Structures are given as C-alpha cells and as structure tokens.
Amino acid sequence: RAVEGSLTRAVAGETLTYVRVHRRRSGKTRDVEVSLVPHRDADGRVLGIYILALDVTQRRRQERALRLRNRALDSSVNSVMIIELSDAGNRIVYVNPSFERITGYAAAEVLGKSPSFMHGDDIDQPGLENLRAALRDRSETTARLRNYRRDGSMFWVELRVAPVLDEQGRATH
C-alpha cells in the first residue's frame, strides 16, 4: 500500500525518495533507496515515472556504526579531544561532554583553538616535549601533564595520543 500511495503521488508530479528493505531470493535482505521521479513533457504533464533503486545497505551500516561510536565518545567518562593536524597549527575540532565537565570549558569556547592553551604558562613540563615530538612525528605517545581548568585550578592529566590516518596513510587528526 505504501508503494501504491507513492506511485500515486509520483504520478501527481511529486518526486519521492524512500528506503525499503528488499528481500532477495536467497533470503538475504538489502536496504534499497527508491526514488520515483516524474518524467514530464514540455507542458509539465507527467508522461511516466523513472524508478531508480540504489543499494544503500553498506552506507546504512556505516551510519549505524558511526552513530554507535559517536554515542560511545559522548558517554565516555574520559575526556576526549580530537585535533586537526596542519602546518598552520593544530586546532581542536571535537571535545566530548566529559572534557567540558572536567575542564569547565564549553565546547564552543575551545573549538578552533590550539590544545596548548590548556597548559597555560606552565610550559616547562617534561611531558610536553614528548607530546610535541609525537605530534611532529605523527606517532603515538602517552604523556602526563599539568593542565588548567577554566577557573584556573590545576589538574593532572594522562594523555594518550594516537594519530588518525587517511586513505594515503597520512595523519590528519
């Protein structure tokens, strides 16, 4: 019935797109995005309907996996920060709610900033050189540092830095 209603609306001139589950003869199911596109003459009358079907199973699986990972990051009790690496300077592109709770900084206050602001003027720390070397070399490391909350109070942090590689193997984040 849903398909009949969609065809009726397409005949009336609407372009419609929806996703449905298609069951193959083998019993396997696939997510299929179906688009019904009216074909019109020069006067705008509908002559027919193009029906386009696209297998979106893999894309939907990836979207579900991404939602799951995002939820895991957002619900972690550990502070998570993602920085974009560039020659112009590293900048924060994501912090989770635990970062906000632990540091007192709202995400909007830190996005786009260099993460080094967390050290304040306390730049003579042994862990910082280790951290700088790992960022420069795009390698993994662990560093123990003194950082400073929004209210100025000091807290210890153990950082775990791991590069995120693109398709060519270059560290981007």
Side-chain angles (χ1 to χ4, degrees), residues 4 9 16 25 31 41 47 58 90 109 113 135 140 153:
E4 290 172 13
R9 289 169 56 194
L16 298 168
R25 288 183 192 161
D31 293 330
D41 66 11
L47 302 175
Q58 187 62 32
N90 304 327
E109 293 178 274
K113 285 187 173 183
L135 291 172
E140 291 187 27
S153 63

Side-chain angles (χ1 to χ4, degrees), residues 121-138:
D121 295 330
D122 192 359
I123 57 172
D124 193 24
Q125 301 184 50
L128 278 178
E129 187 49 44
N130 188 27
L131 179 61
R132 288 185 192 109
L135 291 172
R136 186 176 47 251
D137 300 339
R138 309 300 202 239

Side-chain angles (χ1 to χ4, degrees), residues 44-65:
R45 290 183 299 241
V46 176
L47 302 175
I49 300 171
Y50 293 109
I51 301 175
L52 308 167
L54 178 64
D55 184 342
V56 293
T57 305
Q58 187 62 32
R59 182 183 78 197
R60 302 248 329 214
R61 283 184 189 141
Q62 291 169 341
E63 288 169 353
R64 283 190 290 271

Side-chain angles (χ1 to χ4, degrees), residues 102 125 144-147 149 154-158:
I102 292 167
Q125 301 184 50
R144 204 168 271 151
L145 301 173
R146 292 179 301 271
N147 275 352
R149 294 183 177 90
M154 190 273 294
F155 68 102
W156 286 96
V157 62
E158 183 171 88

